[in-house]
Amino acid sequence: MTNRLLLLALLLSITCPAAWAQGPAGAEFQANSFTNIHQYRPAVASHANGNFVVVWQSYLQDGASYGVFGQRFTAAGLPLGSEFQVNSYTPSFQSFPAVASTANGNIVAVWQSYLQDGSSYGVFGQRFTAAGLPLGSEFQVNSYTTNNQDNPAVASDANGNFVVVWESDDDGSSYGVFGRRFNASGVPQSSEFRANTYTTNPQFRPDVGSDADGNFVVVWASYQDLSGWGVFGQRFDAFGLPQGPEFRANSHTTSFQLSPAVASDADGNFVVVWQSFGQDGSSFGVFGQRYGDLIFGDGFE
């Protein structure tokens, strides 16, 4: 189970315990129809009506190493149309996809692409209608192109505005976490911004969650807590302004806490999950923390 699928399970158990107690809704299903060689690194996003889309990276399917592909499904898990290619630029590698869905079912997918921005990895995206048709052209997310910009994540608000975050060699010390806001038409609403204020050592593997109004929270792994890696975050309003200071999500600080994921409900309540080494007594276990409103901080822990 990927971080995002695990996070969805945890969030459902918190917000809809009765529904979750009913167990699986149908049998396990295969998302990819192209089965040659490797299909992996999946990500998933759900629409308000329960339809959902899965994206993944696939080897040699686009004719040149890794490409990004997707499949839409009904709320009952039935395929909607055929598997589709997300990236239009195909030289070299397109990998590590992430996806978000808007209230009307439109889709925005992002990924890292090698050498497309002129210098190692860059972050690119493509918008789609609810029917899986491209909306406009593939677009470049990052404006800073030196060295690597990679491992993107994306979240959308109820109106289709979205925010993309990624890790970049650009915070003056090592990797930092950067982001950019876009409107529903895919037009940038800001220049790049740095999510982390602590810049010593690396900050990497970010994720982002948004409420219905566009307020959002970014989380990442940072080498700054009492014993190495910990999980940290920053809240932002819909205009991209920080709300309060950077915060640490994990209270258990022994050994490593890594690979965070985050999701928010429409009202801005959010949950962060991560993997923690040795905390459950046997190698890595999965832990989480719930928080209150993104802006007003109700119940913020």
Side-chain angles (χ1 to χ4, degrees):
M1 184 177 285
T2 68
N3 279 348
R4 286 184 175 275
L5 289 174
L6 179 61
L7 180 58
L8 179 61
L10 179 59
L11 189 58
L12 282 171
S13 70
I14 293 167
T15 58
C16 307
W20 186 246
Q22 295 173 7
E28 182 179 297
F29 62 92
Q30 184 170 330
N32 61 295
S33 53
F34 179 88
T35 58
N36 292 352
I37 314 181
H38 310 306
Q39 289 77 43
Y40 69 120
R41 297 277 183 185
V44 62
S46 177
H47 309 166
N49 64 3
N51 294 345
F52 59 97
V53 59
V54 184
V55 297
W56 61 89
Q57 65 185 60
S58 180
Y59 188 59
L60 295 184
Q61 188 174 352
D62 73 356
S65 192
Y66 283 105
V68 177
F69 289 79
Q71 176 67 61
R72 298 175 302 116
F73 294 88
T74 68
L78 301 175
L80 279 168
S82 301
E83 188 174 290
F84 61 95
Q85 184 170 327
V86 175
N87 58 294
S88 53
Y89 177 89
T90 60
S92 198
F93 309 137
Q94 289 76 47
S95 55
F96 284 74
V99 65
S101 177
T102 67
N104 64 1
N106 288 347
I107 300 160
V108 57
V110 297
W111 61 91
Q112 63 185 44
S113 181
Y114 189 62
L115 297 182
Q116 188 174 351
D117 73 356
S119 175
S120 196
Y121 280 106
V123 176
F124 290 79
Q126 176 67 61
R127 297 158 48 245
F128 295 88
T129 68
L133 302 175
L135 278 169
S137 302
E138 185 176 292
F139 60 93
Q140 183 172 321
V141 174
N142 58 292
S143 55
Y144 178 87
T145 59
T146 303
N147 297 324
N148 289 317
Q149 281 64 231
D150 52 18
N151 282 316
V154 60
S156 174
D157 68 16
N159 295 317
N161 305 309
F162 60 95
V163 59
V164 185
V165 297
W166 64 91
E167 60 187 51
S168 173
D169 286 340
D170 185 28
D171 78 351
S173 173
S174 180
Y175 272 101
V177 174
F178 288 77
R180 198 171 194 186
R181 296 164 42 246
F182 295 82
N183 68 17
S185 298
V187 177
Q189 298 300 289
S190 68
S191 56
E192 288 183 14
F193 63 91
R194 187 177 66 207
N196 56 292
T197 52
Y198 179 90
T199 60
T200 304
N201 300 319
Q203 281 67 230
F204 76 135
R205 293 295 175 95
D207 197 18
V208 61
S210 175
D211 70 12
D213 297 323
N215 307 306
F216 60 97
V217 59
V218 185
V219 297
W220 61 88
S222 178
Y223 198 80
Q224 67 168 292
D225 77 3
L226 300 180
S227 62
W229 292 105
V231 174
F232 289 78
Q234 177 66 63
R235 298 173 297 138
F236 296 87
D237 68 14
F239 300 100
L241 299 175
Q243 301 298 296
E246 186 177 297
F247 64 92
R248 185 177 67 205
N250 57 292
S251 54
H252 177 89
T253 59
T254 303
S255 196
F256 302 146
Q257 287 74 47
L258 293 165
S259 299
V262 64
S264 173
D265 67 16
D267 296 322
N269 304 302
F270 64 98
V271 59
V272 186
V273 296
W274 61 88
Q275 61 187 42
S276 180
F277 186 73
Q279 188 174 349
D280 71 355
S282 176
S283 191
F284 279 107
V286 177
F287 290 81
Q289 177 66 62
R290 296 179 299 135
Y291 292 91
D293 189 274
L294 274 169
I295 293 300
F296 298 106
D298 298 335
F300 194 82
E301 301 176 48

